[in-house]
Amino acid sequence: MDGLVNASAIPCENMIVYIWDMDETLILLKSLLDGSYAESFNGVKESRKGTDIGKHWENHILQVCDDYFFYEQMENYNQPCLDALSLYDDGRDLSDYNFNSDGFKHMHDDADRRKLAYRQRVIAQKYAQGLRHVLGQQLIELWDDLYQMTDNYTDGWFSSGHAFLQQILGRNTLSTSNYTRCQHINVLVTSGSLIPSLVKCLLFKLDDVFSYDNVYSSWDVGKLQCFSWIKERFSGQAVQFCVIGDGMEECMAAQRMNWPFIQIDFRPGGVHRFPGLTLRMVEHYIDVIYGPSTSDNGDE
């Protein structure tokens, strides 16, 4: 897995890497399906509506995975990120490549790994293009309507989470030199398998705030291992990390790394939720571990 940490180093005077969980943090799906989100509102939210919304999303996710992202072929060969097998990719032109007849069924040798690497390259290209270049118009309209319905039902959870991620990236500023004065990076580490997680990013409109190379699946290796890879990838004395999620695994992994952890809670009285989480709150947790920052202060 050495390829996971071989990303080009970015010269910088300071860097903050925000490591996000996905489910029940940036998106709500499980809590819609099992009714726990609606129950937390003590009857204000209609539980059946939330469950129906969740089921629609499940169907969309599976359909897009199978129809456009080779999921039936790749389901049993999860990788922690799309670049994990890049060393096996010989750069072949895939414009006329037939993925249905190349004999990929197992992972026995380097030839099989190369076939999987081809698929992962195509997935990276589709992710970079976005779903509007992949889906038909009718499905796009259904997707847009479902997203808006979900955002309304969750009081803007999805759109406010996306806006917060955009706000983080908006803090990137260049100094007069070729060096980045302070770089802010969003990284996603999800406990789900990689292909459905990438499809979720696309369907929940997070692909503009998480590039495909910043999406990791901890399904097989655990979050602590992913955090270790991320630390090695973004190495440097001036690099700070902050973990935001809802689960115990990312909390314990952050503690092992001595990184700040912010616990997301979807309940109405939760301290950290969407809408509501601010950069000032996040800065407070970072300052507790690393000491007070000297730049980018004052953002809400």
Side-chain angles (χ1 to χ4, degrees):
M1 294 299 179
D2 292 340
L4 294 177
V5 296
N6 287 339
S8 299
I10 303 171
C12 64
E13 298 172 7
N14 189 31
M15 179 186 291
I16 303 177
V17 181
Y18 305 83
I19 301 174
W20 294 86
D21 177 46
M22 177 185 282
D23 293 291
E24 305 309 307
T25 298
L26 291 171
I27 69 169
L28 302 175
L29 185 56
K30 178 180 179 296
S31 59
L32 296 182
L33 287 165
D34 66 18
S36 57
Y37 176 78
E39 290 172 5
S40 70
F41 284 82
N42 296 318
V44 176
K45 300 283 186 182
E46 184 182 347
S47 180
R48 178 63 180 273
K49 182 177 180 179
T51 301
D52 289 343
I53 289 173
K55 289 180 179 178
H56 283 305
W57 278 119
E58 276 194 323
N59 292 335
H60 276 305
I61 292 165
L62 289 174
Q63 179 183 355
V64 173
C65 281
D66 290 341
D67 292 351
Y68 302 99
F69 289 89
F70 308 112
Y71 189 53
E72 286 189 19
Q73 299 178 2
M74 300 172 62
E75 183 176 4
N76 295 323
Y77 308 108
N78 186 62
Q79 301 294 318
C81 68
L82 283 182
D83 289 334
L85 297 177
S86 59
L87 293 176
Y88 296 95
D89 189 339
D90 57 10
R92 174 178 175 175
D93 182 1
L94 300 176
S95 56
D96 296 324
Y97 188 87
N98 190 334
F99 288 98
N100 293 319
S101 62
D102 67 350
F104 176 72
K105 293 181 180 180
H106 307 286
M107 282 275 283
H108 292 318
D109 52 29
D110 287 356
D112 293 326
R113 293 181 181 89
R114 183 173 297 111
K115 293 170 185 176
L116 183 57
Y118 288 164
R119 287 161 171 77
Q120 295 192 161
R121 188 193 340 152
V122 171
I123 289 170
Q125 292 169 349
K126 288 183 177 181
Y127 186 95
Q129 292 172 345
L131 282 185
R132 295 186 187 279
H133 293 274
V134 177
L135 304 181
Q137 185 59 37
Q138 183 178 7
L139 192 54
I140 287 174
E141 292 176 0
L142 290 173
W143 163 43
D144 285 338
D145 289 345
L146 181 59
Y147 182 91
Q148 190 58 55
M149 180 191 305
T150 311
D151 199 47
N152 291 339
Y153 180 78
T154 59
D155 302 322
W157 187 286
F158 291 68
S159 58
S160 62
H162 180 264
F164 189 83
L165 292 162
Q166 286 184 314
Q167 190 178 9
I168 287 174
L169 297 181
R171 307 179 86 188
N172 290 323
T173 54
L174 292 177
S175 65
T176 55
S177 70
N178 290 329
Y179 283 71
T180 301
R181 178 160 56 88
C182 186
Q183 184 165 5
H184 300 262
I185 298 174
N186 290 315
V187 176
L188 187 70
V189 179
T190 172
S191 57
S193 56
L194 183 62
I195 303 309
S197 296
L198 289 164
V199 169
K200 284 182 182 180
C201 281
L202 289 163
L203 285 171
F204 293 111
K205 306 187 178 183
L206 298 172
D207 52 304
D208 64 331
V209 286
F210 292 110
S211 57
Y212 75 84
D213 55 330
N214 285 336
V215 177
Y216 292 79
S217 165
S218 66
W219 178 272
D220 298 300
V221 299
K223 295 209 169 183
L224 181 60
Q225 177 62 77
C226 288
F227 288 5
S228 298
W229 282 330
I230 292 166
K231 182 180 181 180
E232 188 174 352
R233 177 183 169 192
F234 298 103
S235 59
Q237 293 183 347
V239 181
Q240 300 176 350
F241 300 88
C242 183
V243 180
I244 305 101
D246 75 301
M248 184 57 66
E249 185 185 4
E250 56 260 32
C251 176
M252 295 181 66
Q255 290 177 348
R256 286 282 300 275
M257 302 297 290
N258 196 30
W259 292 346
F261 174 72
I262 299 173
Q263 178 109 32
I264 299 296
D265 185 352
F266 63 71
R267 293 174 297 181
V271 176
H272 305 121
R273 65 189 310 278
F274 293 112
L277 188 68
T278 67
L279 284 173
R280 192 178 298 277
M281 292 177 182
V282 174
E283 284 177 351
H284 169 74
Y285 283 86
I286 294 174
D287 290 349
V288 167
I289 298 296
Y290 295 102
S293 61
T294 58
S295 65
D296 292 328
N297 291 321
D299 290 323
E300 293 299 330

